[in-house]
Amino acid sequence: MPLICVCSPKGGVGKTTLAANLAWALARAGNKVLALDFDVQNALRLHFGVPLTDGRGYAARAAESADWSQSVLSTGSNLFVLPYGDVSEAQRWAFEECLTRDEHFLSRGLSSLLNYPGLIIIADFPAGPSPALKAVSRLADLHLVTLMADTASLSLLPHVENNRLTGEALNQKAGQYVVLNQSDNRRQLSRDVTTLVEERLGENVLGVIHRDESVSEANASQQAIFDFNPASSAAFDIELIARRIACILDINVGDGTVHSAPGMSGF
């Protein structure tokens, strides 16, 4: 059960879009994948066709429910989503209090999912430090830190290098890697930032995703980039990142087919 965390010190860098498309990429390769949302904005579900009016999720009743898998939604393939859900401010506060005060709260809620054979979990987090990111880091196999190929993201690179996201090393297992998003070869500044980050971090840059209008268009239509425009540069870049993740975590990428979902009873 690999658990992959997608996080960032900064908002607006395409973190949620990356998490969703990585889930799609690994599912297309024949794996069973769960996209898990820890962000109160509850936006990850929209990448999987869940209607905006559907407020179901786990966070509102997480403190009283021992098994969060009951809130898992199936997309009709071997891809699943566990939305944060619509919550009140009091419910959000109570959820974060449990994450902070009870070190076993998370592992209890996710127990059946963490132990589900062959399931890959891609978890998305709010930007910056958060109780969820700190709690999940104890269980995570890999962290992907998403940055933009711009000076604003570059200025926050020390936050990642100096462990300011959780106050300690972000990952104690397979490590932490950076994905540089929206690198634009047409702009000198973007090219310079991309080169600087690659030189500074070396092999810890897992991949670069080039600026591609197909991504925003795919998001608007609630589709994966692979369905909307499989020949796009972004689809190629994200597919390559997914393959590198599979290699690092020794994930069996299957036969490239998408299998039928087991349904909610599968969890």
Side-chain angles (χ1 to χ4, degrees):
M1 184 295 308
L3 171 55
I4 302 160
C5 297
V6 183
C7 58
S8 179
K10 184 179 184 296
V13 297
K15 170 183 53 61
T16 299
T17 297
L18 174 62
N21 280 297
L22 282 176
W24 280 104
L26 290 167
R28 288 173 70 246
N31 301 287
K32 196 172 294 182
V33 183
L34 171 71
L36 169 57
D37 197 353
F38 281 104
D39 194 334
V40 69
Q41 293 186 48
N42 196 29
L44 185 61
R45 66 197 164 111
L46 302 178
H47 292 267
F48 302 96
V50 178
L52 187 63
T53 54
D54 189 338
R56 290 178 293 175
Y58 67 92
R61 57 190 187 92
E64 57 196 53
S65 173
D67 185 6
W68 302 353
S69 70
Q70 299 304 310
S71 297
V72 170
L73 306 179
S74 172
T75 67
S77 64
N78 55 340
L79 185 59
F80 305 85
V81 59
L82 181 52
Y84 188 95
D86 291 340
V87 299
S88 65
E89 182 63 14
Q91 289 170 328
R92 180 196 65 79
W93 184 87
F95 177 64
E96 294 187 355
E97 274 288 294
C98 289
L99 284 172
T100 302
R101 295 181 179 275
D102 184 353
E103 63 177 319
H104 302 296
F105 174 69
L106 189 72
S107 55
R108 283 198 306 270
L110 295 176
S111 178
S112 60
L113 298 170
L114 293 172
N115 292 289
Y116 192 88
L119 181 68
I120 300 170
I121 301 178
I122 307 283
D124 182 41
F125 296 85
S130 69
L133 181 60
K134 189 175 181 65
V136 176
S137 291
R138 306 184 189 107
L139 305 172
D141 294 280
L142 182 76
H143 278 77
L144 294 181
V145 181
T146 312
L147 298 173
M148 291 269 277
D150 60 18
T151 53
S153 285
L154 183 62
S155 69
L156 291 175
L157 193 54
H159 286 245
V160 180
E161 296 173 316
N162 298 326
N163 303 323
R164 295 180 190 171
L165 282 173
T166 60
E168 56 191 9
L170 202 53
N171 190 277
Q172 300 287 353
K173 296 181 182 178
Q176 66 184 59
Y177 295 86
V178 165
V179 171
L180 207 55
N181 194 23
Q182 293 198 27
S183 179
D184 192 344
N185 290 331
R186 299 167 299 180
R187 299 177 58 215
Q188 182 65 47
L189 180 60
S190 183
R191 294 199 304 270
D192 289 345
V193 170
T194 300
T195 300
L196 180 59
V197 172
E198 289 180 321
E199 290 177 348
R200 181 166 170 171
L201 299 182
E203 294 183 356
N204 282 333
V205 176
L206 194 66
V208 175
I209 302 172
H210 292 87
R211 185 175 180 83
D212 187 340
E213 294 302 323
S214 294
V215 175
S216 57
E217 293 170 4
N219 289 348
S221 61
Q222 290 190 304
Q223 288 183 278
I225 187 64
F226 308 102
D227 293 328
F228 184 82
N229 188 356
S232 65
S233 60
F236 177 84
D237 295 335
I238 295 171
E239 180 75 28
L240 184 57
I241 292 169
R243 289 181 179 275
R244 288 174 176 167
I245 290 171
C247 183
I248 292 169
L249 297 179
D250 195 24
I251 295 172
N252 183 353
V253 295
D255 57 9
T257 60
V258 176
H259 306 290
S260 297
M264 294 296 290
S265 61
F267 292 101

